[in-house]
Each structure stands twice: as C-alpha cells, then as structure tokens.
Amino acid sequence: MKLLFLVLSIASPLFAATWPLDDVDDSLIVHGKTTTTAGTAGPSLVLDGDSLIELKDSAKLASGTFTLSLWFNPYEITGGQQMLAGKNRYSLQERQWSLTIEPDGRLKAYLKQGGWSTISCTKPLKAGAWHLVTLVVDPGKATLFLNGKPVGVVKIKTAIAATQAPITLGGIWDADQARQAFTGALDEFTLQPRALTAEEVASSYRPVLATHELPKPLIALPLWDAKRTLPKASKLPQVQGAEFHVIKKQAPDNDQCRFTLGVGLAWHKGRLYASYGFNRGEENTPTEEAHVKVSDDGGKTWGSALVMDAGEGDLAVSHGVFLSQGGRLWAFMGAYYDHAEKYHRVHTRAYLLNEATGRWEKRGVIIEDGFWPMQEPLKMANGNWIMAGLHLSPFAKGANLPTVAISRGDDFTKWDPLVIPAANRVGNNVWGESTVIVEGKRITNISRYGKRAQALLSVSDDYGRTWTPSAPSNLPMATSKPYAGTLSTGQRYLVCTTTADTGGKRSPLTIAISKPGEMLFSKVFLIRTSVFKATPGISDPKADFSYPYAVEHEGRLYIGYTHKSHMANELAVIPVRRLQVD
C-alpha cells in the first residue's frame, strides 16, 4: 500500500497531505460504490458515474494559496461535464473551485471570483490513459497544468474564499445527490498550502504508459438517424418565422418569486392556458404553488396569475399538465409534503376548471406512489389515455425512473402508474422525467438520463402495459425534461437541447424533427440562443431553457419553457410548415 503522508492533521490548512486512493480508508467518505484496479503505482479507485469520494474533514483546506494535483484515467471523455475534483455545494451557495472534463473531452478549471474565472486546456484527453492534473493558485494568478506542463493561466483578483464545502473527487455531493459524476479511475490526490513553481510541478510528473481496458459501451438505441451528422450548436439552422412572447416576466420585486418551473400549455375553447410551479422560497419547498395564466390573443399578452392551488399545512402543489377533453379543461399537478428531506410522498392531484367562475375545483389525489406528471394525457387506440411522468422514490434517493400512468377509459380520476425498468448498467443516478409518442399500440418513451447528457429510450408494443428496459439512445440531450410528440404533418418532434457539443447545458433551445412517418430524428432546428435579439423576454449569457412543453394549434407549434436562472416563463410560436426536413 502506498504511504499516506500526513503532517500533524489533514484538517489543518497549514500542511501538505496526500490521499493515495488505493483503497477506501478512514480519511474517505464514499457516496455510492467504488472498485479497485491498477493505478499509477499500485491500486487505484474506480468510480462508475454514479458515485464520488468525499475527503473527510477537508472543509478548511484549499483556499487562498494552494497547489493540488490528481491522477485520473477517464473512461468516457465526451457527453456531460464530469467533475475530477471540486470544493462546492451549489444548493448552499458554497463555491470555490473545480477541475472538470468538459463535454468536448478537454480539461477545464473553474475558480470563484464573483462569477467563475476559467482556464481551458486545448489538448484533448485520451480515454483509458493516465493523466496528471495540477492546479496552482496564488494571490495573483492561477495556473493549470496537464502532465507537468502549463496549459493556461488566469488572473486572480481576490483570494479564493473559504467555505464549509468539503473537497470531493469524481463529482460534487450536493443536496444528498451526486452531481457531475465521473466515470474512470482516480489515484494520488495531493494538496499543498503553497504555490509550487513550474519547475516543481514538472519534476513531480512521471509518465504512466499503462492503459486501462475501457468498459464495453452499452449499445445505443436508435433515436437519431445515424446516417446524418448531428450538428454542433453553432451550426444549427435557425427556424424561420418564430415569434416570442413572455408568459411570466422576471419580477421578484413585485411577486417575490424565487423559483418557477414547468410550463404546461393547453388550448381550450379558443383560449391559451399556461400553468407553472411558483415559489417565494426555494425549489421543492412547502411554499410552492400551482399558478395559471390565460391568453386571449395566442400568447401575445397574458392575464394576471391565478393560484390554482397553494396547498395547505405541509402540502405543496407544483407544476403539471392540462387536458382539454369533452368540453372540459382538466389539470393534473405534481404535489408533495413537507419533510426534512425533499420529495416526500410525491403524488398527482386533479383539478377541473369551473368556466363560470374561472376557478379550479379540486378533484383530489388521483395517482400516488411518487408519480409526477410531465406530459398531458394522450388518447390510445384501445380507448385508454397515457400520461408520461417521473417516479420519485422516497426522498429521491433511489432510481427515479421514467413512468407512465394509464387511465381506465375516460375516467380521469383513476389511473394505473407503471414504472419503466432501467437496463443493466444504466445505474441508479437516473432522473427519469419522460415524454411519450403514441403510434397505435406502439408507445415510445423518451426520458432524461439523470445527470448524463443522453436521452434514454424505451418502447411498449401493448399500449404501455409492458416496456423494454429504458436504455441509452444515440441522441445527446441536455439534462432537462424533454417534450416529444407528432405534428399534424406526421413528423415526430423533440423539444429540449440536442446538439453535438453542449452536453448537459440547457442552452440553446432546439427542436429535433423526423421526416413524415419516420421514427428517427434527422434534423435539429435552433429555436433560440441565450443571447437573442428577437425576444421581448430574457436575453442574457446565463439564460437557460428548462422543462419545455409544446402544443400544436392551427398550424403553429406553441412551445413554453422556463428560464430557471431568471425566474421567468416564456413562449415560442413556430409555424409547423417551417419544420421541414430535406
């Protein structure tokens, strides 16, 4: 076993320390599971993309002036952002620094300076090979090294402030879940409370020529036409003829909103309805409410927000979906109860619009067992309706799998939820917010894959009663709820962020399209970018496009989405004829 070198205490910020990472000892807290394999000089620890390592008693380390280094062997170098090492807890606003593998397969350092100051490495990494990353931070600058050589420098205006966040390797442990999880092997993490010179960093590097055999990848199920190249974000064609409107503007001084998410849309008797979750507190806390707005001019202007349900006691009601059927407008909203841990007793509640009063009448709990609706019910050929959603296990700590609920005919108060199983090696870090495409008895379920920027795919050939295991598809997709359907032209569509190079980022907003009658998507249109002159709403480099929703009406596709970062909801209106595939 390699020697664990400690001077006095690893909890002291004054002395150097090395964590050998050849096995799990008392200095480590593992969230998930690890295995061991050959390292740089003995064993190393392997993480599976669902797990990470926390360094015990490390909150006082790595602020101000310091040098850190880590050997890493990545098994996957494209897709979502992967964390090699970091000292952050985002939900607690504790941010200091990060070392990541970016979606383009390159190394990057993030340092908190008000916003993030970054150092990007242009040299690509190699899957299965050992690399040594070193970060040197002093009061004037930070320098990133790869394999002993400097690859970039950034000025440091203020010293990296200390927080109570621990140092974590292979991911960030935040709000009891792994974020930006790494797949591969880690070895020899070293931390020194001084800035090493370039000569010292160079002398610490010794080439490791041994490589690791990469795990055989899961066979990607076809969702994208492999004969076509999926474009990078900068190469996407802009959809023509789109209009943009504001549903709920960013107005914290007026409405005290600190969180909104999950636009739902429905056309009903010539009026356009929009619902969303609204919270004057933090996301998924007991002050969440379900709000509704109505437009009489196709989304150009909206009336005042009406509270569909603000909950009562320890009950919170949030975002959901609509259904206009038989002259009546239904709403099915996700709800939960207050608890020390989030996502307690998640369920779905039904509401019916009283058109005489404009009020929403409660119809009670219709689906329990952790079901949260994500798409309006769709009529199937056998007479039942199917509603796509997410199954949240207690406190969202298990496998939160894609789920559908199936009605009993036209009775919208009785539903049978069916959890879709995950394929082997998909892992437990799933956040299966899902959407379905209905084609006769064949139902296609497309789901978010937790923190991985890849769409999951499952198929049923018996009206949603049984499903193939939900498995990775060949379509990259942002780590956000997707929304899919079939246009009046016979074309499938998928609204989210699907590009070749944006990974898990929720920008730009895109729509993937198939040819009429075909199953595979073969073209992606750009709807809008974060900085966008054509919108009356948010145009900002940090604008994101979360939890989209779509409904077609009289030759136009109405797409709602949330700027989660700006607490605003907006609408894009696209002529369907502009969504042609060559």
Side-chain angles (χ1 to χ4, degrees):
M1 179 184 294
K2 290 168 287 189
L3 177 65
L4 174 62
F5 175 67
L6 298 173
V7 181
L8 293 183
S9 169
I10 64 172
S12 168
L14 303 177
F15 301 97
T18 296
W19 288 259
L21 306 181
D22 55 0
D23 61 8
V24 177
D25 57 35
D26 291 341
S27 70
L28 308 178
I29 301 171
V30 175
H31 299 283
K33 62 181 180 180
T34 65
T35 57
T36 58
T37 190
T40 58
S44 64
L45 293 179
V46 178
L47 299 174
D48 60 5
D50 290 327
S51 309
L52 59 86
I53 299 166
E54 178 181 331
L55 305 187
K56 191 180 296 184
D57 300 323
S58 60
K60 295 181 180 180
L61 305 178
S63 59
T65 299
F66 60 90
T67 300
L68 60 87
S69 64
L70 174 69
W71 283 94
F72 66 99
N73 189 324
Y75 294 173
E76 299 177 1
I77 57 172
T78 58
Q81 186 186 64
Q82 299 180 74
M83 184 69 58
L84 296 172
K87 196 172 188 298
N88 307 306
R89 287 190 296 197
Y90 310 121
S91 64
L92 299 179
Q93 303 303 313
E94 296 175 349
R95 295 170 169 85
Q96 288 184 233
W97 52 264
S98 306
L99 293 172
T100 66
I101 300 174
E102 292 297 292
D104 63 0
R106 287 171 168 79
L107 188 66
K108 193 169 187 177
Y110 292 78
L111 302 111
K112 189 64 174 175
Q113 294 282 287
W116 287 113
S117 292
T118 63
I119 310 172
S120 297
C121 177
T122 59
K123 184 177 180 179
L125 303 172
K126 182 179 179 182
W130 282 104
H131 308 74
L132 177 64
V133 58
T134 305
L135 178 66
V136 179
V137 180
D138 64 31
K141 68 179 186 301
T143 308
L144 181 65
F145 296 79
L146 178 62
N147 297 336
K149 297 180 180 180
V151 295
V153 180
V154 69
K155 290 183 179 180
I156 297 294
K157 296 180 181 179
T158 59
I160 303 297
T163 72
Q164 292 303 305
I167 297 172
T168 54
L169 308 178
I172 295 295
W173 186 247
D174 183 46
D176 292 328
Q177 60 181 302
R179 300 183 184 275
Q180 300 147 288
F182 167 75
T183 302
L186 299 177
D187 206 1
E188 292 185 21
F189 178 77
T190 300
L191 181 63
Q192 300 196 48
R194 67 183 184 90
L196 268 63
T197 65
E199 292 76 18
E200 288 176 307
V201 174
S203 65
S204 70
Y205 172 69
R206 61 189 186 283
V208 178
L209 302 180
T211 59
H212 283 184
E213 182 178 353
L214 298 177
K216 293 181 180 179
L218 291 170
I219 298 175
L221 300 178
L223 194 54
W224 173 261
D225 186 349
K227 297 190 296 294
R228 294 184 177 237
T229 300
L230 183 66
K232 294 182 178 181
S234 61
K235 302 297 183 181
L236 292 174
Q238 177 75 53
V239 67
Q240 299 299 304
E243 299 176 1
F244 297 88
H245 310 295
V246 176
I247 299 172
K248 180 210 170 298
K249 66 180 181 180
Q250 182 182 16
D253 293 341
N254 295 328
D255 60 16
Q256 292 80 50
C257 179
R258 297 182 62 190
F259 163 81
T260 183
L261 192 66
V263 174
L265 297 173
W267 277 92
H268 181 71
K269 297 183 178 179
R271 311 183 84 193
L272 180 59
Y273 289 76
S275 65
Y276 48 88
F278 174 96
N279 203 326
R280 294 177 178 85
E282 298 295 330
E283 176 180 0
N284 297 322
T285 57
T287 51
E288 207 132 304
E289 302 174 355
H291 283 197
V292 180
K293 282 191 170 187
V294 184
S295 173
D296 288 311
D297 56 10
K300 295 181 178 65
T301 60
W302 295 83
S304 300
L306 176 71
V307 178
M308 180 187 294
D309 194 344
E312 56 186 16
D314 60 352
L315 170 67
V317 182
S318 188
H319 60 86
V321 302
F322 289 114
L323 174 63
S324 175
Q325 176 63 19
R328 301 194 294 178
L329 183 59
W330 291 82
F332 308 103
M333 313 303 286
Y336 52 87
Y337 287 91
D338 187 25
H339 195 276
E341 299 188 72
K342 291 182 179 180
Y343 310 114
H344 180 54
R345 293 170 57 195
V346 170
H347 59 281
T348 299
R349 291 174 171 257
Y351 304 82
L352 188 61
L353 177 64
N354 183 324
E355 298 187 51
T357 64
R359 298 290 177 178
W360 290 86
E361 299 175 350
K362 299 176 182 179
R363 289 293 186 265
V365 178
I366 58 166
I367 313 173
E368 297 187 278
D369 194 33
F371 182 81
W372 196 310
M374 297 287 161
Q375 182 182 24
E376 81 279 4
L378 300 173
K379 187 72 170 285
M380 296 186 292
N382 66 352
N384 294 331
W385 298 72
I386 187 167
M387 179 163 49
L390 162 70
H391 172 265
L392 282 168
S393 61
F395 309 126
K397 289 185 176 179
N400 303 294
L401 297 171
T403 304
V404 298
I406 298 176
S407 74
R408 302 174 189 177
D410 290 332
D411 187 344
F412 299 130
T413 64
K414 293 182 173 61
W415 298 80
D416 299 317
L418 296 166
V419 178
I420 299 174
N424 293 334
R425 292 176 54 199
V426 165
N428 289 327
N429 193 19
V430 176
W431 197 260
E433 295 159 337
S434 69
T435 181
V436 294
I437 298 173
V438 176
E439 295 164 315
K441 67 178 182 179
R442 186 178 180 85
I443 317 295
T444 301
N445 182 284
I446 301 171
S447 168
R448 174 179 175 178
Y449 185 172
K451 299 297 183 291
R452 298 194 185 191
Q454 190 174 12
L456 294 178
L457 180 63
S458 179
V459 176
S460 170
D461 284 313
D462 58 2
Y463 300 106
R465 291 296 175 181
T466 61
W467 294 86
T468 62
S470 191
S473 73
N474 67 343
L475 183 68
M477 189 179 77
T479 53
S480 181
K481 166 204 154 184
Y483 193 94
T486 304
L487 297 171
S488 56
T489 57
Q491 296 171 276
R492 284 184 169 193
Y493 70 90
L494 174 69
V495 182
C496 198
T497 300
T498 53
T499 79
D501 62 344
T502 47
K505 296 179 181 178
R506 298 179 180 182
S507 177
L509 182 64
T510 68
I511 181 169
I513 295 288
S514 75
K515 292 182 179 180
E518 293 193 356
M519 297 177 60
L520 301 180
F521 299 115
S522 52
K523 188 170 185 176
V524 180
F525 287 95
L526 172 67
I527 299 174
R528 61 156 295 185
T529 52
S530 296
V531 176
F532 191 62
K533 295 181 180 179
T535 180
I538 303 296
S539 177
D540 183 89
K542 295 182 179 180
D544 50 359
F545 311 104
S546 297
Y547 286 46
Y549 197 102
V551 59
E552 184 180 350
H553 180 73
E554 295 183 350
R556 295 177 178 270
L557 187 65
Y558 294 75
I559 299 172
Y561 52 90
T562 296
H563 292 294
K564 192 174 179 183
S565 58
H566 290 74
M567 299 162 290
N569 298 313
E570 296 182 7
L571 181 73
V573 185
I574 299 173
V576 171
R577 62 185 175 83
R578 298 287 192 173
L579 298 173
Q580 297 180 3
V581 178
D582 298 331

